[in-house]
Amino acid sequence: MRYCINCCIHLLPNDLHRQCFRCRGPDHNNQKCPVCRGENKIPLYSDSKQMKWLAVLEVRTDHCESWNGLFCLRKGKLCSLMFGLIIMTLVMVSYILTGAKHGLLLIPSPFHYGAFASNPSLMDNESLSDMKDHYQPSKMNISYVKDYPSIKLIIDTITSKIEFITRQRPDLEELRKQEPHMFSVIPNKFLPNSKNPCWYEEYRGNTTTDPYATNSYALYSKRFRIIFDYLRKVFWNHLYHYKDKHYRLRCLPHFYIIGQPKCGTTDLYDRLRLHPDVRFSAIKEPHWWTRKRFGIIRLRDGFHDRYPVEDYLDLFDLAAHQIQSVLQSDAGKERGKRNSIIIGEASASTMWDNNAWIFFYDNSTEGEPPFLIQDFIHAFQPNAKLIIMLRDPVERLYSDYLYFASANKSAEDFHEKVAESLQLFEGCVLDYSLRACVYNNTLNNAMPVRLQVGLYVVYLLDWLTVFNKDQILVLRLEDHASNMKYTMHMVFQFLDLGPLSEKQEALITKSPASNTRRPEDRSLGPMLPTTKAILRDFYKPFNTKLAQVLLDDAFLWKRT
């Protein structure tokens, strides 16, 4: 195999390489040759990417006419070896520098990136949806204990911006304009002889009509289809026939378990289901008020067709059938008796998740949602009862992280995600109100952990703008875990439920706890002490306000 010594191109046998100007003989003029004027530079790249300060190396070919024989060959090999070592060294340096920047090194970085300066460049005329780009946290290798002073400055900034301002409640006509179909389906009065809010609706189908053919819950989820298959079989038997017309009983929940996630709502739901006078929706967490009515099935999948209110009402048909049986039996025997069965709904997103508003409601005020979930629930059910289960927000956040994180879970990873989330939250409150940041979809999706869910008092105050305080029961998971019988009695009393036999009460209170931490998550151990101290500082002003609103210092969570 032969090569042209001037331009390093492989020569075929008997190839004179006439394309090369420098191979044409001694009369070749370097000044006139386009190759010799600068086209003999050979650029080198690493991995097809430009490498910063070592981006491009240029190797100029040297005239080698003076080399001959064995001396020329040895010198060529030596130069090639040296050139290869240089390239390999530069590539290694580039890899090490890049790895250090992205935290990929196997050894700890000797440098500590502790600065969390907020970005003040967000101008007033920029939209709230652009915040993710402005407040993108830097990648950092955290020295956890040394981080505390830097993060404490962020928390102090957030605390200085906290203002609990009462929101302006929209009037009924504004709500009607936003959801005209919903108001056309749900009446403003319910049956007087039923404790649960129910009404009769004319059914215009016939025996061959599938009443659940278009129900989105049945279409999008296979696990719900068994429920709807059963409802189809019994549907016609539960219609009320009057003057050649058919009517179906429609119901809304009498009470809602509205929050919060990872605070024991599943356990409360499972125990309440055992009460003989309590029924729930066919699906534990429909998430209709917060997500499905906007067309959100999974947040990561974007928007689908919106679930109409009829699909939501279908979820209470099983309970409605039982209420109707009581009403019909009472009509023939005991006209004065009132139905005592009540229906509950337990979507843990109802209290806090108003993230979809920005895509549907345009008339916002300084980034705050003009309408909240509670506005619509109150418009239809001003007497609804609401149950909230809370826990120490610091422990709630760690439990939330362990439950929803998919990979690389560790106390150290949790610490880094907390630091990043605090930086993002600080950036928001510097330019917007507390309420605007809490309900901002872009910010909430950008934060690696859901800090905002633990700001209980912000949500509670907004619910208290439409509902009376005696319509809301707030419980602590810590109390529920230590004295379950007491908390369940509080719930029964709040819902005006009848007395239970000792056997029924024992069944409800002595059942094992539901939805406890998974064994693989328990093995990860607690969060780092520094992380706990940081979160204690962050949530402290919110817990203080919560204790003031509820007149109960237990919500300071000082002993947990």
Side-chain angles (χ1 to χ4, degrees):
M1 183 178 294
R2 298 185 302 117
Y3 291 84
C4 176
I5 198 68
N6 290 322
C7 54
C8 299
I9 292 179
H10 178 208
L11 299 180
L12 298 174
N14 302 320
D15 193 344
L16 297 177
H17 196 223
R18 294 184 175 86
Q19 299 292 331
C20 179
F21 288 90
R22 287 180 292 171
C23 296
R24 292 186 176 181
D27 297 330
H28 178 67
N29 190 329
N30 288 348
Q31 298 299 323
K32 295 180 180 180
C33 176
V35 175
C36 299
R37 286 205 305 264
E39 296 180 9
N40 58 338
K41 298 177 182 180
I42 305 173
L44 297 176
Y45 300 90
S46 175
D47 296 332
S48 300
K49 297 180 180 177
Q50 193 173 0
M51 296 187 297
K52 299 183 176 136
W53 58 271
L54 47 94
V56 179
L57 296 174
E58 293 182 354
V59 180
R60 297 184 181 276
T61 57
D62 294 321
H63 290 287
C64 210
E65 286 87 348
S66 60
W67 294 6
N68 52 55
L70 185 62
F71 173 75
C72 180
L73 181 62
R74 287 179 178 174
K75 190 172 183 179
K77 287 184 177 181
L78 180 61
C79 289
S80 298
L81 178 61
M82 293 297 296
F83 179 75
L85 289 173
I86 292 171
I87 293 297
M88 185 169 62
T89 302
L90 292 176
V91 171
M92 289 292 293
V93 170
S94 175
Y95 172 78
I96 292 172
L97 291 176
T98 305
K101 181 179 178 181
H102 293 285
L104 300 176
L105 293 178
L106 298 179
I107 58 174
S109 171
F111 303 104
H112 173 67
Y113 301 89
F116 292 90
S118 62
N119 190 339
S121 63
L122 186 63
M123 306 303 292
D124 292 337
N125 61 345
E126 292 184 272
S127 69
L128 201 60
S129 62
D130 295 332
M131 288 173 51
K132 184 175 180 180
D133 296 330
H134 285 279
Y135 303 122
Q136 198 67 253
S138 59
K139 298 288 183 182
M140 44 191 174
N141 228 325
I142 297 178
S143 175
Y144 304 107
V145 177
K146 293 181 180 179
D147 256 341
Y148 182 78
S150 299
I151 300 178
K152 186 65 168 64
L153 292 176
I154 294 176
I155 296 172
D156 291 343
T157 301
I158 294 171
T159 302
S160 69
K161 294 292 183 178
I162 294 175
E163 287 185 277
F164 299 104
I165 302 174
T166 303
R167 66 182 288 262
Q168 187 68 33
R169 177 178 166 182
D171 60 41
L172 187 61
E173 286 305 313
E174 290 180 291
L175 298 175
R176 288 182 184 275
K177 290 178 183 178
Q178 297 299 323
E179 298 287 352
H181 178 68
M182 199 189 308
F183 278 90
S184 70
V185 173
I186 302 175
N188 54 13
K189 290 184 179 180
F190 304 116
L191 295 176
N193 57 340
S194 175
K195 183 179 177 180
N196 197 85
C198 298
W199 69 97
Y200 279 107
E201 173 187 282
E202 184 179 353
Y203 179 69
R204 294 181 173 85
N206 53 46
T207 55
T208 61
T209 304
D210 180 0
Y212 306 106
T214 60
N215 187 287
S216 300
Y217 285 99
L219 293 174
Y220 284 108
S221 180
K222 293 181 180 179
R223 64 192 179 98
F224 300 149
R225 291 175 188 172
I226 297 176
I227 298 171
F228 285 101
D229 286 342
Y230 172 77
L231 287 171
R232 289 185 185 95
K233 293 177 182 178
V234 301
F235 179 81
W236 193 259
N237 297 332
H238 290 278
L239 289 179
Y240 177 62
H241 308 283
Y242 180 73
K243 291 184 178 181
D244 298 326
K245 291 184 178 180
H246 307 296
Y247 297 88
R248 65 190 296 187
L249 189 68
R250 288 294 207 178
C251 296
L252 281 168
H254 174 72
F255 70 95
Y256 296 84
I257 300 175
I258 63 174
Q260 290 286 65
K262 310 312 296 175
C263 290
T265 56
T266 298
D267 188 75
L268 179 61
Y269 162 84
D270 285 337
R271 295 181 193 284
L272 268 176
R273 287 175 62 194
L274 300 176
H275 195 287
D277 290 338
V278 175
R279 305 291 183 272
F280 275 94
S281 55
I283 301 165
K284 175 187 176 284
E285 294 190 276
H287 297 295
W288 185 79
W289 290 102
T290 55
R291 298 170 188 171
K292 300 299 191 296
R293 72 186 179 100
F294 297 108
I296 300 173
I297 299 176
R298 297 180 184 86
L299 293 174
R300 64 178 180 272
D301 296 337
F303 291 93
H304 296 259
D305 293 335
R306 299 179 70 173
Y307 287 32
V309 65
E310 291 89 346
D311 291 2
Y312 180 60
L313 297 176
D314 287 346
L315 301 180
F316 306 106
D317 276 3
L318 279 173
H321 293 167
Q322 297 180 47
I323 292 175
Q324 184 181 4
S325 298
V326 174
L327 293 175
Q328 288 179 343
S329 64
D330 289 345
K333 297 178 182 178
E334 304 174 44
R335 289 186 175 273
K337 187 177 179 181
R338 190 168 182 249
N339 163 61
S340 60
I341 294 176
I342 59 173
I343 303 174
E345 199 254 75
S347 297
S349 63
T350 306
M351 181 179 179
W352 65 274
D353 190 353
N354 281 275
N355 288 330
W357 74 267
I358 197 170
F359 302 104
F360 294 91
Y361 306 137
D362 297 327
N363 55 333
S364 63
T365 303
E366 297 181 353
E368 295 186 10
F371 310 105
L372 296 177
I373 302 304
Q374 51 266 40
D375 298 329
F376 293 98
I377 294 179
H378 183 268
F380 300 115
Q381 299 176 260
N383 298 318
K385 295 198 172 186
L386 311 166
I387 301 175
I388 302 171
M389 182 83 86
L390 304 177
R391 73 187 289 189
D392 181 356
V394 176
E395 296 299 332
R396 193 220 69 81
L397 187 65
Y398 190 51
S399 178
D400 195 69
Y401 162 79
L402 293 177
Y403 186 81
F404 289 105
S406 57
N408 302 321
K409 290 185 287 189
S410 67
E412 292 77 16
D413 181 66
F414 177 66
H415 181 94
E416 293 186 19
K417 285 178 166 55
V418 166
E420 293 177 15
S421 299
L422 285 169
Q423 184 186 11
L424 286 166
F425 197 80
E426 179 209 21
C428 183
V429 297
L430 286 173
D431 295 286
Y432 294 92
S433 69
L434 176 61
R435 182 178 291 109
C437 295
V438 165
Y439 292 126
N440 179 252
N441 176 69
T442 303
L443 174 66
N444 293 339
N445 287 337
M447 288 193 294
V449 290
R450 301 193 295 182
L451 283 174
Q452 79 282 6
V453 178
L455 306 180
Y456 307 139
V457 70
V458 179
Y459 306 111
L460 179 61
L461 288 173
D462 284 347
W463 280 85
L464 287 172
T465 61
V466 291
F467 286 97
N468 295 327
K469 198 171 182 179
D470 59 2
Q471 292 178 260
I472 303 176
L473 175 65
V474 184
L475 304 170
R476 295 195 330 145
L477 176 61
E478 293 83 0
D479 299 331
H480 181 66
S482 63
N483 193 344
M484 195 168 297
K485 185 175 181 179
Y486 174 73
T487 57
M488 294 309 299
H489 277 198
M490 288 181 64
V491 174
F492 297 156
Q493 184 178 3
F494 176 70
L495 297 176
D496 297 320
L497 293 172
L500 296 172
S501 66
E502 290 185 9
K503 184 177 181 180
Q504 290 173 324
E505 187 174 293
L507 179 64
I508 293 173
T509 58
K510 294 182 180 180
S511 300
S514 302
N515 203 20
T516 56
R517 186 169 293 179
R518 295 171 294 213
E520 60 269 24
D521 291 338
R522 284 199 210 102
S523 64
L524 296 175
M527 71 184 82
L528 299 175
T530 304
T531 315
K532 180 174 284 191
I534 288 168
L535 291 173
R536 286 255 179 269
D537 291 340
F538 172 68
Y539 285 118
K540 182 178 180 179
F542 300 98
N543 293 343
T544 300
K545 182 66 175 180
L546 180 65
Q548 292 172 358
V549 172
L550 297 176
L551 303 176
D552 189 348
D553 286 346
F555 289 93
L556 294 172
W557 282 286
K558 288 184 176 180
R559 297 181 181 179
T560 57

